[in-house]
């Protein structure tokens, strides 16, 4: 065995050269890996004894892509395009042997090989689009030659990871070999290639699938139309589509030029910077400064959920999906039955969409038990309370749990706003109490705010984060304050939205601006969807806000056919003349002189106070890092990932600009705009939230 460099070595099995890469954790294509590949292939190809080269990786995966940490830094070593040309131009067959995931630049390396083999568990994908990029090492030109432009369009714009069996069918792989025997399988395949004197299959020279596609030029426009909603606001899907179009219509080398130009444009843009930041932000959340990785965790084999309403049902489904048995408690049989039926219905709807089978549903439902007695939670390792948002009730439930739950059990509350420490005070074991704030629908939304109380123990925190990961959530550890991170910042936006409609604009103006910013919907559309009557009661209503007036008129949102908007039978929203009149009359009654407010002010009024609140949250130590706040907003509130989250957006705008606006608003409108000390400090020092690490 010969070492090529610190990450690559070359060995031989008879006439077959085996180039092995070992660059943990994911064999990303950093400079040494690129150098190892180029030099290794050159050296093997120059050996007159060698008849084929197998490229294989050690560790958990084949190459998972370019090294994202290198982006934006000065280039070092062999370029990826040159490395890939060296492989493709080799005079003897080069075979990629894939396990784990061949992603991005990793799949591009494999596509430059003459053949590809993989184990059944392997997956291939071009996920660059999720980083605001496109495959920039020939992937957009070689992939459509391998699998046809229609399939390639889907792959590059979704970033989906495709399993080996499907890849084989598509023509992306040439063989699937026995699990656990990749090296032997790849060597046997190489021998077959040599024995059968197969040609060097260079994808760049193969264009039968492209010729067929040239007869269907309309497919690109159709693809754009079908996916318009999904791609809205993102730049990279369109650039990816244009590259596949170039592959179909231009010679290979010209197509590569288009790919390079569009790749460089995306790479230097703010969207990709935001999406790459989000990638690392989602991985940073698990790193807890005062709860090290070796903190002991508690075993969680059985879960209890209290309340089978909107949240309780969804929460239970997360654990059932992970194969963990759940007992769910209600106060009345009808509520329990309704909760259990809803869970089953949700699963059966997933079956209808083809994403689950009926036996899967039965397996999950068999893990679920409903009960009317809290005593049935005595053997549970983790109990999550999701009863009504009422402090007295929650304290009563926790007081009872304290007597019932076994020692060491984690007692979690799904409260949205209430003080976790006060809830914990109803028990004799506050160290076991923690907030698990799920988002609705709890079985779908990826975000979980894990709320540490003043006395929550480190093992309880570590176990909560570990379990969150196990059930597929992205969790941010936050501190106790009203609304925690997400809802606390949301309250700023909601307050300004309500003020804006009295001062001069209409709900649809605010919604339009926030929709164009990239949110899936604006605050008034969101209220109509959720129901205006959350927390409203007829008895206590005094017509003191627009919302109260609308509820009193039974305009309680989409469910009653009217709210801030009017709705037709298909729930299409229309601007409402009735609401317009109510707003104008209400503003007049309050003595507000309405004025023209432009879109820029709407946006600044809604977003800048959120950034300022985020700064206060950091100042108070209620979030560990600015990027955790961004993870909350991207995964829990539909903040457009291509804008990186509110804190990243503040950095992009320039904190001096944000501060200047907050000061201006404070002097014009009042103390709710008072800038946080942290914002002032960072702006004065010319720094960003990102610099705080
Ligand atoms: N570059 C640099 N670091 C990477 C990386 C990459 N491409 N992929 C993963 N890592 C790092 C992660 O940041 C993490 O670091 P940490 O432990 O310090 O937090 C570590 O590797 C392990 O990653 P995960 O925690 O994500 O491990 P998983 O096992 O859950 O997932 C994975 C593995 C599926 C490979 C996942 O990491 C992933 O999706 N990686 C990104 C793949 C990707 O986007 N590739 C395309 C890159 S762009 C490109 O190739 C451009 C080219 O076309 C020119
Ligand atoms: P819900 O009203 O849909 O369900 C609450 C359920 O708890 C009801 O079925 C009720 O019968 C049951 N319940 C009440 N007292 C009980 C008791 N003593 N023992 C057992 N069951 C009892 O309410 P929802 O929306 O599910 O909210 C529950 C909690 O989750 C609240 O704290 C809420 O703030 C929080 N939350 C709600 C979100 C949402 O979007 N709905 C999002 C995140 C958190």
């Amino acid at each position: 065995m010969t070492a090529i460099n610190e990450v690559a070595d070359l060995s031989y099995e008879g006439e077959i050269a085996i180039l092995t890469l070992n660059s943990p954790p994911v064999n990303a294509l950093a400079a040494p890996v690129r150098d190892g590949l180029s030099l290794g292939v050159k050296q093997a190809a120059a050996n007159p004894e060698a008849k084929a080269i197998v490229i294989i990786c050690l560790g958990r995966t084949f190459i998972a892509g370019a090294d994202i940490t290198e982006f934006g830094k000065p280039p070092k070593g062999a370029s990826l395009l040159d490395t890939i040309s060296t492989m493709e131009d080799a005079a003897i067959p080069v075979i990629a042997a894939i396990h784990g995931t061949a992603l991005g630049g990793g799949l591009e390396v494999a596509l430059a090989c003459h053949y590809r083999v993989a184990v059944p568990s392997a997956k291939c994908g071009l996920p660059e689009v999720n980083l605001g990029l496109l495959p920039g090492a020939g992937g957009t030109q070689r992939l459509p030659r391998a699998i046809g432009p229609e399939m390639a369009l889907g792959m590059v714009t979704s970033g989906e990871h495709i399993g080996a069996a499907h890849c084989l069918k598509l023509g992306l792989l040439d063989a699937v070999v026995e699990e656990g025997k990749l090296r032997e399988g790849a060597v046997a395949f190489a021998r077959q290639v040599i024995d059968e004197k197969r040609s060097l299959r260079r994808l760049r020279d193969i264009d039968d699938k492209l010729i067929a596609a040239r007869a269907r030029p309309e497919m690109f426009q159709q693809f754009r139309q079908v996916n318009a909603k999904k791609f809205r606001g993102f730049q990279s899907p369109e650039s990816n589509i244009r590259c596949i179009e170039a592959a179909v219509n231009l010679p290979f080398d010209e197509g590569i030029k288009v790919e390079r130009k569009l790749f460089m444009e995306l790479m230097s843009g703010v969207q990709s910077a935001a999406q790459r930041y989000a990638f690392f932000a989602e991985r940073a959340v698990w790193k807890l400064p005062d709860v090290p990785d070796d903190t002991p965790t508690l075993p969680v084999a059985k879960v209890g959920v209290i309340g089978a309403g909107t949240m309780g049902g969804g929460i239970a489904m997360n654990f059932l999906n992970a194969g963990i048995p759940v007992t769910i408690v209600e106060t009345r049989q009808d509520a329990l039955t309704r909760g259990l039926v809803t869970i089953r219905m949700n699963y059966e709807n997933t079956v209808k969409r083809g994403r689950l089978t009926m036996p899967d549903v039965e397996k999950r439902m068999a893990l679920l038990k409903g009960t009317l007695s809290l005593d049935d939670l005595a053997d549970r390792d983790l109990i999550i309370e999701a009863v009504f948002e009422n402090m007295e009730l929650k304290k009563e439930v926790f007081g009872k749990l304290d007597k019932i739950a076994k020692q060491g059990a984690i007692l979690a509350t799904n409260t949205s706003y209430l003080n976790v420490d006060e809830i914990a005070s109803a028990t004799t074991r506050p160290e076991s109490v923690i907030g698990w704030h799920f988002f609705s629908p709890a079985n779908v939304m990826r975000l979980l705010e894990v709320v540490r109380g003043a006395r929550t123990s480190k093992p309880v925190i570590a176990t909560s984060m570990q379990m969150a990961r196990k059930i597929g959530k992205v969790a941010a550890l936050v501190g106790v304050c009203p609304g925690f991170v997400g809802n606390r910042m949301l309250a700023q936006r909601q307050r300004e939205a309500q003020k804006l409609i009295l001062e001069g604009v209409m709900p649809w103006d605010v919604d339009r601006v926030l929709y164009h910013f990239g949110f899936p919907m604006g605050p008034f559309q969101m209220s109509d969807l959720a129901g205006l009557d959350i927390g409203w009661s007829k008895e206590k209503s005094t017509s003191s806000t627009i919302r109260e007036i609308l509820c009193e008129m039974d305009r309680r949102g989409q469910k009653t056919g009217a709210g801030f908007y009017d709705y037709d039978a298909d729930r299409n929203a229309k601007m409402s003349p009735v609401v317009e009149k109510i707003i104008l009359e209400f503003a007049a009654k309050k003595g507000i002189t309405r004025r023209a407010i432009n879109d820029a002010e709407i946006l600044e009024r809604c977003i800048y106070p959120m950034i300022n609140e985020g700064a206060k949250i950091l100042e108070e130590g209620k979030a560990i890092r600015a990027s955790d706040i961004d993870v909350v907003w991207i995964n829990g509130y539909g903040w457009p990932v291509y804008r990186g989250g509110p804190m990243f957006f503040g950095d992009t705008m320039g904190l001096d600009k944000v501060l200047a606006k907050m000061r201006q608003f404070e002097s014009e409108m009042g103390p709710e705009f008072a800038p946080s000390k942290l914002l002032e400090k960072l702006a004065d020092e010319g720094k960003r939230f990102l610099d705080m690490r």
Side-chain angles (χ1 to χ4, degrees):
M1 188 158 67
T2 323
I4 302 291
N5 65 8
E6 67 270 36
V7 299
D9 62 53
L10 198 56
S11 59
Y12 286 90
E13 280 198 24
E15 53 197 3
I16 295 164
I18 300 174
L19 177 58
T20 307
L21 300 170
N22 183 17
S23 180
V26 295
N27 291 305
L29 286 157
V33 176
R34 297 195 301 271
D35 286 342
L37 268 172
S38 304
L39 296 172
V41 168
K42 277 185 198 154
Q43 205 179 100
N47 178 354
E49 309 285 305
K51 295 280 185 295
I53 307 169
V54 167
I55 296 175
I56 195 164
C57 293
L58 296 185
R60 67 214 246 199
T61 180
F62 190 74
I63 303 165
D67 182 349
I68 309 167
T69 59
E70 268 188 355
F71 291 172
K73 295 186 186 150
K76 275 198 296 191
S79 83
L80 186 53
L81 277 174
D82 288 347
T83 304
I84 276 177
S85 297
T86 304
M87 295 165 58
E88 193 168 53
D89 294 341
I92 53 175
V94 183
I95 295 134
I98 302 171
H99 76 293
T101 43
L103 298 178
L107 183 57
E108 292 177 293
V109 162
L111 285 166
C113 293
H114 305 110
Y115 298 96
R116 289 157 290 282
V117 302
V119 286
S121 60
K123 290 186 171 162
C124 297
L126 291 172
E128 284 87 343
V129 72
N130 298 327
L131 299 170
L133 292 171
L134 53 84
T140 64
Q141 304 305 298
R142 289 190 182 87
L143 184 72
R145 287 172 161 81
I147 66 172
E150 278 98 340
M151 288 308 299
L153 275 174
M155 250 180 106
V156 294
T157 57
S158 70
E160 197 188 342
H161 301 182
I162 299 181
H166 193 191
C167 288
L168 185 66
K169 242 187 248 160
L170 290 176
L172 190 51
L173 291 175
D174 299 290
V176 174
V177 302
E178 198 182 327
E179 195 72 53
K181 298 210 168 140
L182 180 59
R183 186 177 161 123
E184 297 89 320
V187 168
F189 182 86
R191 290 227 161 86
Q192 204 181 332
V193 169
I194 300 167
D195 291 349
E196 292 172 6
K197 298 193 171 45
R198 288 206 215 166
S199 60
L200 295 178
R201 201 168 173 274
R202 304 195 321 166
L203 278 174
R204 56 174 293 150
D205 300 332
I206 297 172
D207 60 4
D208 50 319
K209 292 195 166 111
L210 303 184
I211 293 166
R214 278 179 207 137
R216 301 187 302 280
E218 68 287 354
M219 77 172 154
F220 293 103
Q221 218 35 42
Q222 285 167 358
F223 187 77
R224 287 183 175 97
Q225 272 162 13
V226 170
N227 291 288
K229 200 167 158 209
K230 195 167 122 205
F231 298 159
R232 182 177 73 91
F234 287 92
Q235 285 163 355
S236 58
E238 174 58 24
S239 302
N240 272 283
I241 297 170
R242 281 168 59 196
C243 286
I244 306 289
E245 266 182 313
V248 170
N249 297 319
L250 298 173
F252 182 84
D253 288 326
E254 295 302 311
I256 287 284
K257 283 187 198 154
V258 172
E259 180 190 273
R260 186 93 304 243
K261 177 172 171 287
L262 294 176
F263 179 80
M264 294 315 286
E265 275 175 26
L266 290 175
M267 177 66 97
S268 57
V270 72
Q271 288 206 352
S272 175
Q275 289 177 259
R276 283 181 273 137
Y277 160 83
F279 174 86
F280 288 112
E282 280 192 14
R283 282 156 181 82
V285 286
W286 308 105
K287 294 167 190 155
L288 313 177
D290 71 331
V291 187
D293 284 349
D294 58 359
T295 306
T297 53
L298 306 159
V300 178
K302 296 176 188 166
V303 170
V305 175
I306 311 176
T310 310
M311 295 306 288
I315 292 170
M317 290 172 76
N318 285 296
F319 294 96
L320 301 176
N321 294 344
I324 300 171
V326 177
T327 296
I328 193 161
V329 186
E330 259 295 344
T331 43
R332 294 194 328 268
Q333 186 58 48
D334 58 337
L336 180 60
T337 307
R338 200 170 44 238
L340 296 177
V341 167
T342 306
I343 293 176
R344 174 172 280 281
M345 232 170 57
N346 279 338
Y347 278 137
E348 288 181 359
N349 284 336
T350 315
V351 173
K352 280 186 203 137
R353 287 196 296 272
R355 285 197 262 125
L356 214 59
T357 63
M358 268 324 277
D360 292 333
V361 175
E362 297 310 336
K363 218 162 95 192
R364 285 164 170 75
M365 291 307 288
L367 293 170
L368 178 63
K369 188 176 154 238
T371 174
L372 298 178
S373 167
L374 267 187
D375 292 339
D376 289 342
L377 301 185
D379 67 343
R380 303 283 117 173
D381 305 304
L382 162 68
I383 300 170
I384 304 172
E385 164 277 312
V387 304
F388 304 126
E389 185 78 341
N390 175 302
M391 180 56 92
E392 287 322 305
L393 175 63
K394 298 218 188 242
K395 281 168 92 168
E396 184 193 319
V397 169
F398 273 76
K400 285 186 188 158
L401 270 186
D402 192 31
K403 302 205 170 56
I404 294 167
K406 68 178 186 188
Q407 275 310 312
I410 297 178
L411 309 181
T413 169
N414 181 47
T415 180
S416 316
Y417 290 91
L418 300 176
N419 187 323
V420 175
D421 292 326
E422 191 177 341
I423 296 173
S425 73
T427 73
T428 56
R429 40 173 139 168
E431 67 284 359
S432 297
V433 178
I434 192 164
W436 277 49
H437 182 210
F438 286 87
F439 288 71
S440 183
N443 54 317
V444 176
M445 296 292 287
R446 277 187 79 213
L447 180 66
L448 181 71
E449 283 183 325
V450 173
V451 190
R452 79 190 286 173
R455 296 178 58 187
T456 310
S457 77
K458 290 184 183 177
V460 167
I461 295 172
T463 310
S464 296
M465 297 299 280
Q466 187 190 55
M467 286 306 296
R469 209 167 185 158
K470 188 162 180 185
I471 61 173
K473 299 292 174 195
V474 50
L477 183 66
V478 302
V480 175
C481 55
F484 316 121
V485 167
N487 284 341
R488 176 170 163 181
M489 288 166 70
L490 180 67
Q492 296 287 318
R493 191 183 86 178
Q494 299 300 79
R495 183 197 66 221
E496 288 311 306
Q498 294 296 337
K499 278 163 59 189
L500 281 162
I501 62 171
L502 297 185
E503 288 170 31
V505 292
M506 286 294 148
W508 30 95
D509 297 316
V510 178
D511 285 346
R512 173 178 44 78
V513 169
L514 288 170
Y515 179 77
H516 283 303
F517 182 76
F519 281 101
M521 63 182 82
F524 297 100
Q525 289 160 322
M526 200 173 93
S527 297
D528 273 5
L529 183 67
L532 270 61
D533 53 353
I534 296 181
W536 172 81
S537 83
K538 200 172 181 173
E539 298 70 40
K540 292 187 194 148
S541 194
T542 55
S543 312
S544 63
T545 61
I546 301 284
R547 180 178 82 114
E548 283 194 345
I549 297 172
L550 295 179
C551 284
E552 288 159 18
M553 294 168 71
D554 207 32
R555 295 184 66 104
R556 290 183 286 123
Q558 285 196 17
K559 60 186 172 190
T560 56
F564 284 103
Y565 292 82
D566 292 335
Y567 293 91
D568 65 17
D570 297 325
R571 294 206 168 184
N572 294 313
K574 280 192 313 235
M575 292 185 260
S576 167
V578 177
V579 171
E580 187 159 356
K581 188 159 166 276
I582 291 170
I583 292 172
L584 294 178
E585 283 172 4
F586 190 83
K589 211 168 90 193
K590 292 262 165 196
I592 298 167
T593 311
R594 287 173 68 86
R595 64 185 171 93
I597 298 177
N598 63 25
D599 288 359
E601 180 178 340
I602 295 178
L603 191 65
E604 287 161 354
R605 290 271 301 278
C606 288
I607 303 284
Y608 286 10
M610 282 173 50
I611 299 170
N612 191 43
E613 197 65 25
K616 288 185 191 166
I617 286 170
L618 286 173
E619 210 171 270
E620 294 166 23
K622 302 297 181 192
I624 295 172
R625 20 178 130 65
S627 63
D628 287 10
I629 298 179
D630 288 333
V631 167
V632 166
W633 270 83
I634 292 169
N635 292 286
Y637 297 84
W639 182 284
V641 62
Y642 56 79
R643 293 193 197 273
M647 310 315 277
F648 183 91
F649 183 69
D651 282 347
T652 314
M653 290 289 103
L655 295 188
D656 52 345
K657 184 170 169 226
V658 177
L659 176 65
K661 267 290 163 203
M662 290 302 288
R663 283 187 175 143
Q664 178 200 324
F665 290 152
E666 184 188 18
S667 70
E668 290 169 1
M669 285 174 267
E672 65 269 37
F673 293 98
S676 83
K677 297 246 172 340
L678 179 64
L679 179 62
E680 284 177 333
K681 181 169 172 290
L682 291 174
D684 286 352
E685 291 171 359
K687 288 193 176 150
R688 305 168 305 167
F689 292 117
L690 242 82
D691 300 323
M692 289 176 62
R693 284 178 277 193

